[in-house]
Amino acid sequence: MAEQLRHPQVVPDPSLPDRVTIYEVGPRDGLQNEKAIVPTEVKVGLVERLLDAGLPYVEATSLVHPRWVPQLADAEEVLAALVERIGDHARDLPVLVPNERGLERAFDLGLRHIAVFASATETFARRNLNRSLDEQWSMFEPVMTRARAAGMRVRAYVSMCFGDPWEGDVPLDQVVAAGKRLMDLGAEQLSLGDTIGVGTPGHVVALLDALNDAGLSDDVLALHAHDTYGQALGNVAAALRHGVTTFDTSAGGLGGCPYAESATGNLATEDLLWMLDGLGITTGVSMPSLVETGTWLEGHLGRPAPSRVLQALRP
């Protein structure tokens, strides 16, 4: 491919933020739904490659019970190998912690950055957390309180923000109440999950407006988009224009939620980066390094990744 076609023409929009943070979830959310077990060495290599590509946040794994997510049963081994390979910085990589047992494992590993994963709907809370919508808070409160007391950074995800496969439409005030509760418990950032990818730009703006009205500013919000219906980049553009500057993505567009069958792949890191590069928005992330990493990962998974940009740019 001609060199000039390997990157977009840059046409800045002065009304948009000049810098965006890409929060990479591929090693956790991208791999957790893979049917074949990915070797520990590949997971470690993926984290290293993503960091080398310039991604400032790479969510390394999840300290969930292996019975629930067998793909991530080697979390301790992955983290130990990362500490050995990249040093103490590995303890700053965010790791999903589902409950107090997971937090104890995080303490044992000396981790300094965790994430919790809550639900905005009753059915998903019961299916994913084995608790009701209200009961989930009794699980998260001690985790977040203890983590903050120990000096840890705490990120919070709230899932099913734009629609639920069992309940259908999700009222905005229900999402706002869940998000506000998480922030009140001490989260420093709230990631809004379009878990089944049904959101549309107008819906994104309406939810952001509602969260702003509840006292949560755009600078503490992130968007976690799935591309099930091809809406992910449009939803990001709406959130970006609103003032959100953190977006969750997965290398290659891999991933989904094991507890929601209609949750297909995350927004691909490469696809978002192409759009942001074309807008002249700074990310610090290298597209050639991402393409190299995605191609390497495809070789280990034995299949093409969903990312359209990776398909276009792979050697």
Side-chain angles (χ1 to χ4, degrees):
M1 181 183 293
E3 180 59 34
Q4 63 266 29
L5 298 181
R6 299 192 68 84
H7 56 80
Q9 182 170 328
V10 179
V11 183
D13 182 340
S15 69
L16 296 178
D18 58 7
R19 186 172 188 91
V20 157
T21 297
I22 301 179
Y23 188 104
E24 173 65 48
V25 299
R28 193 272 302 173
D29 197 17
L31 297 181
Q32 69 179 2
N33 219 28
E34 289 294 309
K35 290 180 173 59
I37 298 297
V38 176
T40 300
E41 178 62 25
V42 174
K43 295 174 184 174
V44 174
L46 177 59
V47 173
E48 285 189 294
R49 286 168 175 266
L50 292 169
L51 291 170
D52 288 344
L55 286 151
Y57 296 100
V58 179
E59 197 166 76
T61 187
S62 172
L63 295 171
V64 66
H65 195 289
R67 180 171 66 251
W68 301 118
V69 185
Q71 185 61 261
L72 303 181
D74 59 352
E76 271 89 355
E77 290 83 356
V78 168
L79 292 164
L82 285 166
V83 170
E84 183 175 330
R85 299 259 281 265
I86 67 175
D88 190 58
H89 170 57
R91 294 188 171 91
D92 291 314
L93 298 175
V95 172
L96 191 69
V97 168
N99 49 33
E100 280 198 277
R101 174 62 191 127
L103 181 64
E104 293 292 346
R105 293 168 68 188
F107 285 153
D108 290 344
L109 291 162
L111 304 183
R112 295 187 283 262
H113 193 172
I114 67 164
V116 298
F117 191 86
S119 176
T121 66
E122 180 75 29
T123 307
F124 191 65
R126 292 191 179 278
R127 287 176 173 261
N128 188 52
L129 305 171
N130 200 29
R131 284 168 170 76
S132 72
L133 187 60
D134 288 334
E135 289 168 349
Q136 66 179 327
W137 308 118
S138 64
M139 179 171 67
F140 295 131
E141 184 169 7
V143 171
M144 298 174 74
T145 300
R146 292 180 61 198
R148 291 303 299 267
M152 285 180 163
R153 302 182 66 183
V154 180
R155 186 185 213 232
Y157 292 95
V158 59
S159 58
M160 299 297 174
C161 290
F162 298 91
D164 179 294
W166 302 281
E167 299 181 17
D169 294 347
V170 181
L172 294 180
D173 59 357
Q174 194 168 301
V175 179
V176 171
K180 188 78 163 55
R181 187 72 177 266
L182 288 163
M183 295 301 289
D184 288 345
L185 287 174
E188 66 177 48
Q189 186 175 68
L190 180 69
S191 177
L192 306 168
D194 186 7
T195 314
I196 57 173
V198 295
T200 54
H203 194 169
V204 169
V205 170
L207 178 56
L208 293 174
D209 284 344
L211 287 161
N212 291 169
D213 289 344
L216 302 185
S217 58
D218 286 341
D219 63 346
V220 301
L221 302 175
L223 182 65
H224 184 109
H226 284 225
D227 207 31
T228 316
Y229 293 87
Q231 301 299 299
L233 281 177
N235 291 338
V236 166
L240 187 63
R241 192 165 297 282
H242 199 280
V244 174
T245 57
T246 299
F247 298 95
D248 299 356
T249 62
S250 174
L254 301 178
C257 176
Y259 298 98
E261 292 184 2
S262 54
T264 52
N266 295 284
L267 171 59
T269 308
E270 301 88 347
D271 295 0
L272 175 61
L273 184 61
W274 182 275
M275 185 180 84
L276 296 177
D277 282 351
L279 288 165
I281 294 174
T282 300
T283 63
V285 181
S286 163
M287 181 67 83
S289 295
L290 274 185
V291 171
E292 181 181 341
T293 296
T295 305
W296 169 86
L297 184 58
E298 287 179 326
H300 286 286
L301 297 179
R303 60 179 176 81
S307 166
R308 301 295 293 273
V309 169
L310 180 58
Q311 292 174 27
L313 295 184
R314 77 161 62 88

